[in-house]
């Protein structure tokens, strides 16, 4: 089942049959144990609709007041890219260490206010010379620490700022429109399969600049392990979204430009599309 949010209305796609209803409190709606089972029963009373809403090219991010966190250096490709970018600053060693350490890298990525949905613009920092999207499978975790759904995340990043000094990570990662989530929350009956693939395409003036894909089985860490570290000393009364890290890194001579189109697809979930805009 997939939940899309358009304004105050939730649309549920239940394997090709569609229902909709106005949702007064999005947090109460998504933050629960057994979201899949709940939805199955709940939507019986919702209004039937057709699938034409899927033709819209904009969806609200499926978030209310949850925090967005991110895991880093969870794939080998992320480790090597960051070791290269931090060579001059002497920061490479930290990426190497964290990849093998027991404690994963977890960082605060965004408030809902800094997050956009599919069809919205994301921004790049004006004080950054090297900017990339990071396509990441994103977990919806409820307040009890249980993974209830999945969405697509874009962890927009400044590689020049991050490379200058690893201590600049919050500035490389957190700024206006630095995160995108969507187009929906995928709520399967069982955990997403490890054969699931993530695909990214970056287009400029209709020309493909970067196109790659990877299976999530390449991840070094278990999702349960990431969640358990995240919940160690933090409570999330409304639930939380956790981006699980990137494995798809454009070549070092590539940087995003205003107008670029970023399309991220994840099997089973759908496609998150954003253009790079300007503040
Ligand atoms: O350590 C820097 C950020 C890592 C990250 O965002 C990722 O691996 O996806
Ligand atoms: Mg990332």
């Amino acid at each position: 089942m997939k939940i899309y949010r358009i304004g105050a209305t939730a649309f549920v796609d239940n394997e090709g049959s569609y229902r909709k209803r106005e949702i007064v409190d999005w947090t109460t709606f998504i933050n629960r144990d057994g979201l899949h089972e709940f939805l199955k029963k709940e939507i019986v009373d919702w209004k039937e609709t057709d699938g034409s809403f899927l033709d819209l090219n904009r969806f609200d991010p499926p978030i209310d007041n949850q925090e967005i966190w991110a895991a880093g250096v969870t794939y080998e490709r992320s480790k090597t890219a960051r070791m290269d970018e931090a060579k001059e600053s002497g920061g490479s060693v930290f990426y190497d260490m964290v990849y093998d350490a027991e404690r994963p890298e977890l960082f605060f990525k965004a408030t809902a206010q800094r997050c956009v949905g599919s069809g919205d613009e994301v921004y790049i920092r004006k004080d950054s010379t090297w900017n990339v999207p990071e396509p990441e499978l994103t977990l919806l975790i409820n307040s009890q620490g249980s993974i209830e759904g999945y969405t697509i995340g874009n962890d927009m990043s400044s590689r020049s700022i991050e490379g200058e000094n690893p201590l600049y990570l919050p500035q490389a990662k957190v700024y206006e429109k630095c995160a995108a989530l969507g187009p929906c929350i995928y709520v399967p009956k069982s955990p997403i399969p490890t054969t699931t693939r993530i695909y990214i395409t970056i287009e400029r003036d209709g020309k493909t600049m970067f196109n790659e894909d990877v299976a999530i089985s390449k991840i070094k860490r278990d999702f349960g392990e990431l969640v358990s570290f995240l919940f160690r000393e933090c409570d999330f009364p409304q639930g939380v979204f956790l981006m699980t890290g990137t494995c798809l890194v454009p070549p070092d001579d590539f940087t995003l430009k205003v107008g670029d189109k970023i399309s991220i697809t994840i099997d089973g979930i759908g496609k998150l599309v954003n253009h790079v805009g300007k503040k």
Side-chain angles (χ1 to χ4, degrees), residues 1 4 8 26 32 38 51 55-56 77 88 109 112 116 136 144 154 184 196 206 210 219-220 225 239 254 262 268 277:
M1 258 181 279
Y4 294 82
W26 187 261
R32 59 179 69 244
F38 163 79
D55 300 333
L56 297 174
R77 179 71 188 100
E88 266 179 45
K109 172 62 187 176
V116 302
E136 307 192 7
Q144 302 308 303
N154 181 353
C184 63
T196 300
F210 179 63
I219 198 166
K220 168 92 188 304
E225 173 194 346
F254 175 83
I262 306 158

Side-chain angles (χ1 to χ4, degrees), residues 137 139 147 150 192 216 219 221-227 244:
L137 176 68
L139 313 176
I147 300 168
Y150 305 88
I192 201 160
I216 61 167
I219 198 166
R221 310 252 179 193
D222 194 50
F223 296 146
E225 173 194 346
L226 297 176
V227 174
T244 57

Side-chain angles (χ1 to χ4, degrees), residues 78 82 107 132-136 153-157 159 162 173 200 243 245-246 248 264:
S78 175
R82 285 176 228 270
F107 59 92
V132 290
E134 293 188 359
E136 307 192 7
N154 181 353
D155 169 23
M156 291 288 290
S157 301
R159 294 194 65 188
E162 183 183 88
K173 295 287 190 178
I200 186 166
M243 296 180 171
T246 193
L248 298 173
I264 304 170

